[in-house]
Amino acid sequence: MSAAGLFISFEGIDGAGKSTHVAALADAFRAAGRQVTLSREPGGTPLAEKLRELVLNDAMDPLSEALLMFAARRDHLQQVIEPALARGDVVLCDRFTDATFAYQGGGRGFDMAVLQQLERWVQAIPGSEQLRQPDLTVWFDLPPAVAAQRLAAARVPDRFESQPQVFFERVAAGYAQRLQGEPGRFARIASDQSKEAVWQQVRQAFEQRGWLAPTGGAA
Ligand code: TYD
């Protein structure tokens, strides 16, 4: 018996703490007998990882930044995500297209209509009217002031992490706007809580959908 593929993305402003929960979910799905493809954006393929290096570190104009995000996404979709879904894997992707709407659209103020056009081109499913979108997007919602405190204690910042708090307020608003447009696709996780409390919310989002059995295991 082969299970249907499942595509999950994880989003939130820098410092929201998604990484540990992505890893814990990968363990939970493997323990449930599923094949897991763990990936990230920008990145996930040799080409997309090169683009990540550029876009996180080199100065460029907002259109170049948006185009590189979508170029990386196109390669990642074709090389990794689509084949994994076709195999029936659970694809756990640390950021996907909502990040472009939040960071380039909200944060940088780039034209959302252009982003929507790029999204239509890049995420088109051949022979279908629909776009490839996650089955679920887990949004770690954290007040930007709290994220700023966390980031202050973190490693050397990249081009996004070094932005002022007001930038992240616009990014957070960008995420909220995406959720409003498609509420059924999102699980909003109140992330200004202990790691364990956040994990319980994450786990519950998957149990509610019947994707993980209720066990209440810890992260
Ligand atoms: P992040 O996912 O936070 O990785 P790490 O945990 O290694 O820092 O870093 C990716 C950065 O790229 C993050 O600041 C958000 C940004 N980003 C965009 O601006 N647009 C996008 O479309 C994506 C996918 C990421």
Side-chain angles (χ1 to χ4, degrees):
M1 192 191 80
S2 64
L6 205 51
F7 181 21
I8 316 291
S9 66
F10 300 86
E11 300 284 358
I13 59 175
D14 290 273
K18 59 190 162 45
S19 307
T20 49
H21 302 292
V22 178
L25 271 171
D27 289 343
F29 273 110
R30 287 190 190 110
R34 296 291 302 256
Q35 292 288 332
V36 174
T37 291
L38 200 53
S39 202
R40 68 171 182 181
E41 289 209 349
T45 70
L47 172 61
E49 289 291 334
K50 285 186 197 163
L51 296 177
R52 177 188 177 96
E53 204 43 45
L54 295 174
V55 84
L56 294 192
N57 298 301
D58 291 19
M60 63 186 71
D61 85 300
L63 175 58
S64 302
E65 187 176 290
L67 289 170
L68 289 181
M69 292 296 181
F70 274 110
R73 181 159 305 131
R74 177 78 181 170
D75 195 53
H76 189 214
L77 272 166
Q78 291 196 315
Q79 306 292 334
V80 174
I81 296 175
E82 294 296 351
L85 292 175
R87 286 195 301 269
D89 284 14
V90 176
V91 177
L92 303 179
C93 194
D94 192 338
R95 301 190 184 282
F96 190 62
T97 206
D98 297 308
T100 313
F101 284 83
Y103 279 78
Q104 281 63 55
R108 299 273 194 234
F110 189 76
D111 188 343
M112 296 278 191
V114 175
L115 298 182
Q116 278 163 358
Q117 180 60 61
L118 292 169
E119 182 184 39
R120 280 194 291 273
W121 283 333
V122 167
Q123 292 161 236
I125 303 172
S128 163
E129 295 284 294
Q130 294 195 326
L131 301 183
R132 176 61 70 198
Q133 294 289 11
D135 297 299
L136 175 70
T137 296
V138 182
W139 175 33
F140 294 90
D141 187 15
L142 185 72
V146 179
Q149 280 171 4
R150 290 189 187 173
L151 281 182
R155 63 235 145 116
V156 184
D158 63 33
R159 281 177 69 234
F160 297 103
E161 290 163 339
S162 58
Q163 292 291 321
Q165 191 179 314
V166 62
F167 176 86
F168 290 105
E169 281 160 10
R170 293 196 300 267
V171 173
Y175 279 125
Q177 198 179 327
R178 288 287 278 183
L179 178 143
Q180 273 164 23
E182 234 183 314
R185 178 163 66 81
F186 283 83
R188 181 185 158 275
I189 306 295
S191 302
D192 191 6
Q193 299 184 17
S194 71
K195 201 169 122 181
E196 178 58 29
V198 171
W199 169 248
Q200 291 308 331
Q201 293 178 65
V202 172
R203 172 109 206 175
Q204 219 170 40
F206 286 80
E207 291 174 3
Q208 275 167 4
R209 287 165 178 80
W211 294 339
L212 285 175
T215 66

